[in-house]
Amino acid sequence: MNRIEFMKQLERLLQNLPAEERNDALQYYEGYFEDAGPDKEQEVIRELKSPEHVAQIILEDAGQDGMDSENNTQTQGQNMYQNQGYSQDMYNSQGYNQNSYNNQGYNQNYNQKSMDSTTRTIVIVLLIVTAPVTIPIIFSIIATMIGVFLGIFGIIIGFFAGAVGLFIGGGVLISVGLAGLGFWLFGIGSIMIGISFLLMPLAGWVCKTAIPEVVKCMKRAVYKATHKGGNAA
Amino acid sequence: MIFTTGAALLDAIVLAVVNQEETGTYGYRITNDVRKVMDISESTLYPVLRRLRKGEYLDVYDQEYAGRNRRYYRITEKGEAQLHLYQVEWKLYSEKINKCLRGELQA
């Protein structure tokens, strides 16, 4: 392996690091090779052992650092950056061990604190993911409500129109019947006027009672829907 | 070396080595200087320098050398204060260890 291959492999192994960190490390080892000179190139490579070994030390350090500073993205780095198992061959000292102990405690704290924001994120993601389904459902509910309302309106118009029609028709038939064209027409006309008197209060009842009742129901439904939605978000 | 080297001692030695150069020194040279007193791997030093830099014990500047940029490390005021602390601590610690190993420790 030569220097160029070594650096290429190191760059590949550090690709999970933030760009600035990665460039700093690569620049350091580039400079190191430059200062050592071509004569010592193989010696340096032998000393560094392997790109994997160098990368592991850099990644472990970056992960540790993330735990020390209270930076969320870097804290996750401990797992993200580290490709290989934990190795303590570098600083096998008390100070270092105590350090990683503290970090563990901090990591637990961090996990608890982040629970709320995690569930919130899950809810938001779910809302976005299910949007293609939920949005049509909401639209169809609104459309159904409008349909029911218009239907009731139609029934009222129908009752009124029927009543008015029967009343006029009945009146005409009565007058025709009285004019001597036949008592059976007079009878039918009387029945029609009678029915129209029955329909009138029915239409009035729909106007007075049924419509406010339906409106109330709808208001309740809309309130429930928005109230639930408010809770979920 | 049969005694393990702690991170604090390594920090202290790196600060001392960098402190010797008024205008700053660079990675390869720091490594060689540290290796004169301590048996460390060449890959050990980058994280140490990075940590000392993050803690603002060292600062860096790039200067052209032989047609390329070389990164120089320089000790900061904070680094000097830290080095002084290490020097005092080390004096106390090493004197105690010396006494103990010589069998001069009073009961």
Side-chain angles (χ1 to χ4, degrees):
Chain A
M1 183 184 281
N2 64 25
R3 173 187 155 182
I4 293 163
E5 287 165 348
F6 188 97
M7 290 305 296
K8 256 190 192 158
Q9 260 193 317
L10 184 60
E11 186 174 359
R12 187 175 52 77
L13 289 163
L14 296 180
Q15 61 188 350
N16 282 345
L17 273 182
E20 198 191 325
E21 297 274 356
R22 187 176 59 235
N23 290 337
D24 266 358
L26 292 173
Q27 193 198 343
Y28 177 85
Y29 281 106
E30 276 295 353
Y32 198 91
F33 274 116
E34 284 284 342
D35 288 321
D39 296 345
K40 289 194 171 173
E41 188 177 310
Q42 284 309 313
E43 196 184 312
V44 169
I45 288 170
R46 212 171 30 248
E47 264 284 333
L48 292 173
K49 287 182 188 164
S50 67
E52 286 81 9
H53 180 73
V54 172
Q56 188 186 343
I57 290 165
I58 295 168
L59 294 172
E60 273 174 15
D61 186 59
Q64 285 292 321
D65 190 67
M67 310 267 272
D68 287 339
S69 69
E70 302 205 343
N71 186 328
N72 289 357
T73 52
Q74 285 201 356
T75 306
Q76 291 162 350
Q78 172 75 358
N79 306 324
M80 206 170 66
Y81 300 157
Q82 225 166 290
N83 299 325
Q84 293 171 4
Y86 198 78
S87 138
Q88 283 194 330
D89 63 339
M90 294 323 300
Y91 313 109
N92 218 341
S93 74
Q94 269 196 343
Y96 182 72
N97 284 339
Q98 278 174 355
N99 215 5
S100 51
Y101 229 90
N102 292 340
N103 289 337
Q104 275 182 355
Y106 169 70
N107 200 21
Q108 280 172 357
N109 260 351
Y110 165 76
N111 282 342
Q112 282 172 355
K113 263 188 265 171
S114 67
M115 280 301 253
D116 280 339
S117 65
T118 311
T119 46
R120 182 179 293 178
T121 312
I122 288 169
V123 167
I124 290 169
V125 167
L126 275 177
L127 283 177
I128 292 167
V129 167
T130 58
V133 179
T134 49
I135 288 175
I137 287 175
I138 289 167
F139 270 110
S140 64
I141 288 170
I142 292 169
T144 307
M145 283 178 163
I146 292 170
V148 169
F149 201 77
L150 287 179
I152 290 166
F153 199 67
I155 290 168
I156 294 161
I157 290 174
F159 276 146
F160 268 115
V164 171
L166 284 170
F167 187 78
I168 292 168
V172 170
L173 283 180
I174 286 170
S175 46
V176 169
L178 284 175
L181 284 172
F183 280 108
W184 60 280
L185 283 175
F186 177 83
I188 289 171
S190 300
I191 291 168
M192 282 164 80
I193 285 177
I195 292 171
S196 83
F197 277 119
L198 274 175
L199 281 180
M200 287 286 192
L202 204 62
W205 176 82
V206 169
C207 264
K208 265 190 208 156
T209 319
I211 287 180
E213 206 57 46
V214 168
V215 168
K216 230 190 271 172
C217 274
M218 280 182 176
K219 268 185 185 170
R220 227 178 289 150
V222 168
Y223 175 77
K224 263 190 190 171
T226 51
H227 197 71
K228 250 188 191 171
N231 267 348
Chain B
M1 193 169 71
I2 57 169
F3 299 110
T4 54
T5 304
L9 186 54
L10 194 50
D11 285 1
I13 287 169
V14 170
L15 283 177
V17 162
V18 176
N19 190 44
Q20 282 186 336
E21 310 292 330
E22 193 93 343
T23 53
T25 175
Y26 50 93
Y28 183 69
R29 199 162 144 200
I30 297 169
T31 306
N32 284 339
D33 284 348
V34 171
R35 275 152 71 99
K36 283 175 192 163
V37 293
M38 211 182 232
D39 186 23
I40 53 150
S41 150
E42 284 183 89
S43 49
T44 310
L45 222 63
Y46 175 72
V48 176
L49 289 171
R50 183 179 161 277
R51 240 187 307 124
L52 289 172
R53 204 178 130 201
K54 287 247 156 154
E56 290 171 351
Y57 300 110
L58 297 178
D59 65 2
V60 297
Y61 65 95
D62 293 340
Q63 194 176 292
E64 206 183 290
Y65 173 84
R68 66 186 175 86
N69 261 340
R70 189 193 254 167
R71 177 152 287 186
Y72 285 85
Y73 293 80
R74 218 170 19 186
I75 197 160
T76 62
E77 261 180 47
K78 194 180 170 190
E80 280 173 4
Q82 188 69 13
L83 177 59
H84 183 71
L85 182 88
Y86 282 139
Q87 285 164 343
V88 171
E89 281 291 319
W90 179 255
K91 193 162 181 282
L92 291 171
Y93 178 73
S94 59
E95 276 170 5
K96 257 195 273 178
I97 298 288
N98 286 341
K99 264 189 188 173
C100 180
L101 291 181
R102 277 193 231 110
E104 294 167 3
L105 208 64
Q106 309 101 309

Short mmCIF file of all heavy atoms in Angstrom, two decimals, chain B residues 2-3 9 11-12 18 25 29-30 32 37-39 41 43 46 49 57 67 72-73 75 77 86 94 97 102 105 107:
data_model
loop_
_atom_site.label_atom_id
_atom_site.label_comp_id
_atom_site.label_asym_id
_atom_site.label_seq_id
_atom_site.Cartn_x
_atom_site.Cartn_y
_atom_site.Cartn_z
N ILE B 2 6.54 0.41 30.49
CA ILE B 2 5.65 -0.52 31.19
C ILE B 2 4.55 0.21 31.95
O ILE B 2 3.55 -0.38 32.31
CB ILE B 2 6.43 -1.45 32.16
CG1 ILE B 2 7.24 -0.63 33.16
CG2 ILE B 2 7.33 -2.41 31.40
CD1 ILE B 2 7.81 -1.46 34.29
N PHE B 3 4.72 1.51 32.17
CA PHE B 3 3.66 2.26 32.85
C PHE B 3 2.68 2.82 31.82
O PHE B 3 3.09 3.31 30.77
CB PHE B 3 4.25 3.41 33.66
CG PHE B 3 5.19 2.95 34.73
CD1 PHE B 3 6.55 3.20 34.62
CD2 PHE B 3 4.72 2.25 35.83
CE1 PHE B 3 7.43 2.76 35.60
CE2 PHE B 3 5.60 1.81 36.82
CZ PHE B 3 6.97 2.07 36.70
N LEU B 9 -1.72 13.16 31.13
CA LEU B 9 -0.27 13.26 30.98
C LEU B 9 0.11 13.53 29.53
O LEU B 9 1.01 14.33 29.24
CB LEU B 9 0.39 11.97 31.49
CG LEU B 9 1.92 11.96 31.53
CD1 LEU B 9 2.44 13.14 32.35
CD2 LEU B 9 2.43 10.65 32.11
N ASP B 11 -1.78 15.05 27.33
CA ASP B 11 -2.13 16.46 27.10
C ASP B 11 -1.02 17.37 27.61
O ASP B 11 -0.60 18.32 26.93
CB ASP B 11 -3.44 16.83 27.83
CG ASP B 11 -4.67 16.27 27.14
OD1 ASP B 11 -4.50 15.59 26.11
OD2 ASP B 11 -5.79 16.50 27.64
N ALA B 12 -0.54 17.08 28.82
CA ALA B 12 0.49 17.91 29.44
C ALA B 12 1.76 17.93 28.58
O ALA B 12 2.35 18.98 28.36
CB ALA B 12 0.79 17.39 30.84
N VAL B 18 4.54 21.91 22.48
CA VAL B 18 4.12 23.04 21.62
C VAL B 18 4.60 24.36 22.23
O VAL B 18 5.01 25.28 21.51
CB VAL B 18 2.58 23.04 21.44
CG1 VAL B 18 2.13 24.26 20.64
CG2 VAL B 18 2.13 21.77 20.75
N THR B 25 4.38 24.91 16.05
CA THR B 25 5.02 23.72 15.47
C THR B 25 3.95 22.88 14.79
O THR B 25 2.77 23.16 14.92
CB THR B 25 5.77 22.94 16.57
OG1 THR B 25 6.28 21.74 16.03
CG2 THR B 25 4.83 22.61 17.74
N ARG B 29 6.28 17.10 13.63
CA ARG B 29 7.33 17.43 14.57
C ARG B 29 6.86 17.21 16.02
O ARG B 29 7.62 16.72 16.86
CB ARG B 29 7.73 18.90 14.38
CG ARG B 29 9.07 19.18 14.97
CD ARG B 29 9.65 20.44 14.41
NE ARG B 29 10.39 21.14 15.43
CZ ARG B 29 10.68 22.43 15.36
NH1 ARG B 29 10.28 23.15 14.32
NH2 ARG B 29 11.37 23.00 16.32
N ILE B 30 5.61 17.55 16.29
CA ILE B 30 5.07 17.31 17.63
C ILE B 30 5.14 15.82 17.95
O ILE B 30 5.56 15.42 19.04
CB ILE B 30 3.61 17.82 17.74
CG1 ILE B 30 3.54 19.34 17.54
CG2 ILE B 30 3.01 17.46 19.10
CD1 ILE B 30 2.13 19.88 17.37
N ASN B 32 7.13 13.53 16.75
CA ASN B 32 8.51 13.10 16.99
C ASN B 32 9.02 13.56 18.35
O ASN B 32 9.71 12.81 19.05
CB ASN B 32 9.43 13.62 15.88
CG ASN B 32 9.25 12.80 14.59
OD1 ASN B 32 8.76 11.67 14.64
ND2 ASN B 32 9.60 13.38 13.47
N VAL B 37 9.98 11.14 24.54
CA VAL B 37 9.80 10.85 25.97
C VAL B 37 8.77 9.77 26.22
O VAL B 37 8.66 9.25 27.32
CB VAL B 37 9.41 12.12 26.75
CG1 VAL B 37 10.55 13.12 26.75
CG2 VAL B 37 8.13 12.73 26.20
N MET B 38 7.99 9.46 25.22
CA MET B 38 6.85 8.58 25.46
C MET B 38 6.65 7.67 24.26
O MET B 38 6.77 8.10 23.12
CB MET B 38 5.62 9.49 25.60
CG MET B 38 4.59 8.96 26.51
SD MET B 38 3.24 10.15 26.45
CE MET B 38 3.02 10.43 28.16
N ASP B 39 6.33 6.42 24.56
CA ASP B 39 6.16 5.46 23.47
C ASP B 39 4.69 5.47 23.02
O ASP B 39 3.87 4.73 23.54
CB ASP B 39 6.56 4.07 23.97
CG ASP B 39 6.55 3.07 22.83
OD1 ASP B 39 6.66 3.51 21.66
OD2 ASP B 39 6.42 1.87 23.10
N SER B 41 1.80 5.61 19.65
CA SER B 41 1.61 5.36 18.22
C SER B 41 1.42 6.69 17.49
O SER B 41 0.93 7.66 18.05
CB SER B 41 0.39 4.46 18.05
OG SER B 41 -0.23 4.73 16.82
N SER B 43 -0.67 7.43 15.36
CA SER B 43 -2.09 7.77 15.15
C SER B 43 -2.73 8.33 16.41
O SER B 43 -3.88 8.76 16.38
CB SER B 43 -2.84 6.52 14.68
OG SER B 43 -2.54 5.44 15.52
N TYR B 46 -3.30 12.82 16.64
CA TYR B 46 -4.31 13.68 15.99
C TYR B 46 -5.50 13.97 16.92
O TYR B 46 -5.87 15.13 17.09
CB TYR B 46 -4.79 13.09 14.67
CG TYR B 46 -5.91 13.90 14.09
CD1 TYR B 46 -5.67 15.16 13.56
CD2 TYR B 46 -7.22 13.46 14.14
CE1 TYR B 46 -6.70 15.95 13.07
CE2 TYR B 46 -8.26 14.24 13.67
CZ TYR B 46 -7.99 15.47 13.13
OH TYR B 46 -9.01 16.25 12.68
N LEU B 49 -4.44 16.51 19.62
CA LEU B 49 -4.32 17.88 19.10
C LEU B 49 -5.71 18.47 18.84
O LEU B 49 -5.95 19.64 19.12
CB LEU B 49 -3.51 17.88 17.80
CG LEU B 49 -2.01 17.61 17.98
CD1 LEU B 49 -1.34 17.40 16.63
CD2 LEU B 49 -1.35 18.76 18.72
N TYR B 57 -6.98 25.26 24.09
CA TYR B 57 -5.65 25.26 24.70
C TYR B 57 -4.59 25.50 23.62
O TYR B 57 -3.49 25.96 23.90
CB TYR B 57 -5.37 23.94 25.41
CG TYR B 57 -6.37 23.65 26.51
CD1 TYR B 57 -7.30 22.62 26.37
CD2 TYR B 57 -6.40 24.41 27.67
CE1 TYR B 57 -8.23 22.37 27.36
CE2 TYR B 57 -7.31 24.16 28.67
CZ TYR B 57 -8.23 23.14 28.51
OH TYR B 57 -9.15 22.89 29.49
N GLY B 67 5.75 25.05 -0.99
CA GLY B 67 4.69 25.00 -2.00
C GLY B 67 3.39 24.38 -1.54
O GLY B 67 2.54 24.02 -2.36
N TYR B 72 0.18 24.87 11.56
CA TYR B 72 0.99 25.08 12.76
C TYR B 72 0.11 25.18 13.99
O TYR B 72 -0.96 25.78 13.95
CB TYR B 72 1.82 26.36 12.63
CG TYR B 72 3.00 26.21 11.70
CD1 TYR B 72 2.83 26.40 10.33
CD2 TYR B 72 4.26 25.89 12.18
CE1 TYR B 72 3.89 26.26 9.46
CE2 TYR B 72 5.33 25.74 11.31
CZ TYR B 72 5.14 25.93 9.96
OH TYR B 72 6.19 25.78 9.11
N TYR B 73 0.59 24.59 15.07
CA TYR B 73 -0.11 24.64 16.36
C TYR B 73 0.64 25.56 17.31
O TYR B 73 1.87 25.51 17.38
CB TYR B 73 -0.21 23.24 16.97
CG TYR B 73 -1.09 22.30 16.18
CD1 TYR B 73 -0.60 21.67 15.05
CD2 TYR B 73 -2.40 22.06 16.57
CE1 TYR B 73 -1.40 20.82 14.31
CE2 TYR B 73 -3.21 21.21 15.84
CZ TYR B 73 -2.70 20.59 14.71
OH TYR B 73 -3.50 19.75 13.98
N ILE B 75 0.41 27.50 21.35
CA ILE B 75 -0.28 27.45 22.65
C ILE B 75 -1.01 28.77 22.90
O ILE B 75 -0.53 29.83 22.49
CB ILE B 75 0.73 27.12 23.79
CG1 ILE B 75 -0.02 26.66 25.05
CG2 ILE B 75 1.64 28.32 24.08
CD1 ILE B 75 0.85 25.88 26.01
N GLU B 77 -3.27 31.37 25.72
CA GLU B 77 -3.13 31.77 27.13
C GLU B 77 -3.77 30.73 28.05
O GLU B 77 -3.22 30.38 29.08
CB GLU B 77 -3.81 33.14 27.36
CG GLU B 77 -2.82 34.28 27.34
CD GLU B 77 -3.50 35.62 27.57
OE1 GLU B 77 -4.32 35.72 28.50
OE2 GLU B 77 -3.21 36.55 26.79
N TYR B 86 -0.62 21.59 35.13
CA TYR B 86 -0.06 20.25 34.95
C TYR B 86 1.34 20.17 35.58
O TYR B 86 1.68 19.17 36.20
CB TYR B 86 0.05 19.91 33.46
CG TYR B 86 -1.26 19.49 32.81
CD1 TYR B 86 -1.60 19.95 31.55
CD2 TYR B 86 -2.12 18.62 33.45
CE1 TYR B 86 -2.78 19.55 30.93
CE2 TYR B 86 -3.31 18.22 32.85
CZ TYR B 86 -3.63 18.69 31.59
OH TYR B 86 -4.79 18.29 31.00
N SER B 94 4.98 13.27 41.12
CA SER B 94 6.22 12.54 40.87
C SER B 94 7.08 12.48 42.13
O SER B 94 7.75 11.48 42.39
CB SER B 94 6.99 13.19 39.72
OG SER B 94 7.29 14.53 40.03
N ILE B 97 5.64 9.69 44.24
CA ILE B 97 5.97 8.39 43.67
C ILE B 97 7.45 8.07 43.88
O ILE B 97 7.81 6.95 44.27
CB ILE B 97 5.64 8.36 42.15
CG1 ILE B 97 4.14 8.59 41.91
CG2 ILE B 97 6.09 7.05 41.50
CD1 ILE B 97 3.26 7.43 42.30
N ARG B 102 11.50 4.80 46.42
CA ARG B 102 12.81 4.76 47.11
C ARG B 102 12.66 4.22 48.53
O ARG B 102 13.66 4.07 49.23
CB ARG B 102 13.41 6.17 47.17
CG ARG B 102 14.14 6.56 45.88
CD ARG B 102 14.98 7.81 46.11
NE ARG B 102 14.70 8.81 45.08
CZ ARG B 102 14.06 9.96 45.29
NH1 ARG B 102 13.63 10.27 46.51
NH2 ARG B 102 13.87 10.80 44.31
N LEU B 105 8.93 6.78 52.17
CA LEU B 105 7.61 7.27 52.59
C LEU B 105 7.43 7.10 54.09
O LEU B 105 7.59 6.01 54.63
CB LEU B 105 6.53 6.47 51.85
CG LEU B 105 5.20 7.16 51.59
CD1 LEU B 105 5.35 8.35 50.66
CD2 LEU B 105 4.23 6.16 50.99
N ALA B 107 5.47 6.75 57.59
CA ALA B 107 4.22 6.09 57.95
C ALA B 107 3.22 7.08 58.53
O ALA B 107 3.55 8.15 58.93
CB ALA B 107 4.47 4.99 58.98
#
